[in-house]
Amino acid sequence: MDITSAEFTISNADVQKCPEGSFPEYAFIGRSNVGKSSLINMLTGRKGLAMTSATPGKTMLINHFLINKSWYIVDLPGYGYAKRGQKGKEQIRNIIESYILQRQQMTNLFVLIDSRLAPQAIDLQFIEWLGENAIPFAIVFTKADKLKGGRLNNNISQYLQKLQEQWEELPPYFVTSSENRLGKKELLDYMESINKDLNK
Ligand code: GTP
Ligand code: MG
């Protein structure tokens, strides 16, 4: 699939104020700084579309981007950023949870995992919560450019093994880098195939 147009639509703290209509949407979630906004820029080929930062906690709202005038990519705030303080963390958690649980248009959630790290409790708990709430999701390993082949493959198989302790069937997964565009075609094709199914 080619992305021919990508436009910022709206930012929101309130799920009720997200765009009306029935366009399907694909949301990106994960720990603060895992690379959600960078991945959205890589996928759309628009460098400054989603705001990125080397310091965690950049994205604070639900951001809608209209793609090819017919579906949305949604950039969500990251979870687990300690420096926000208890109140700040609760606010963000509230935004994330209400979006995921209430947004009917959300067709698939991409859960981003830093490919450099051993499985982290915070991500595993979040994935478990998705399961409890029957949220459709896929895993996206990020920052693959930062690891050499052997370690990358090791980390990914270790992660999948960990997930197998929780899940009978593994979710779809993708290995990506926003630096060298690894995984771009696979992710875009995946979203296109879901869009096609929805239009049948
Ligand atoms: P929050 O909005 O704070 O939750 O963060 P985010 O998940 O949107 O992360 P963001 O895209 O802002 O990226 C965080 C940092 O990681 C930035 O310094 C990016 O340049 C860097 N980064 C993101 N993706 C990649 C990648 O694939 N490779 C490398 N080398 N760096 C990356
Ligand atoms: Mg961000």
Side-chain angles (χ1 to χ4, degrees), residues 13-24:
D14 181 356
V15 63
Q16 310 300 340
K17 294 186 185 146
C18 287
E20 288 177 10
S22 57
F23 287 163

Side-chain angles (χ1 to χ4, degrees), residues 144-156:
D145 59 283
K146 292 207 174 190
L147 284 173
K148 294 266 183 309
R151 277 198 61 204
L152 177 64
N153 292 335
N154 271 348
N155 282 5
I156 287 166

Side-chain angles (χ1 to χ4, degrees), residues 33 35-38 52-53 57-59 143 145-146 178-179:
N33 215 239
K36 301 174 291 296
S37 303
S38 304
T52 63
S53 165
K58 179 69 182 174
T59 310
K143 308 192 185 185
D145 59 283
K146 292 207 174 190
S178 300
E179 284 291 307

Side-chain angles (χ1 to χ4, degrees), residues 18 39 54 59 69 76 88 97 103 106 140 147 158 170 173 188 198:
C18 287
L39 184 71
T59 310
K69 315 239 181 252
L76 294 171
E97 290 193 359
R103 185 68 173 164
M106 201 207 52
V140 176
L147 284 173
Q158 202 193 348
L170 282 176
Y173 71 94
L188 290 177
L198 293 171

Side-chain angles (χ1 to χ4, degrees), residues 35-79:
K36 301 174 291 296
S37 303
S38 304
L39 184 71
I40 290 172
N41 292 340
M42 184 274 266
L43 291 173
T44 56
R46 313 291 195 279
K47 262 199 155 163
L49 188 67
M51 280 192 275
T52 63
S53 165
T55 44
K58 179 69 182 174
T59 310
M60 306 269 292
L61 298 166
I62 307 165
N63 298 285
H64 275 76
F65 302 99
L66 181 61
I67 309 300
N68 295 353
K69 315 239 181 252
S70 54
W71 53 282
Y72 288 105
I73 280 180
V74 178
D75 191 12
L76 294 171
Y79 52 76

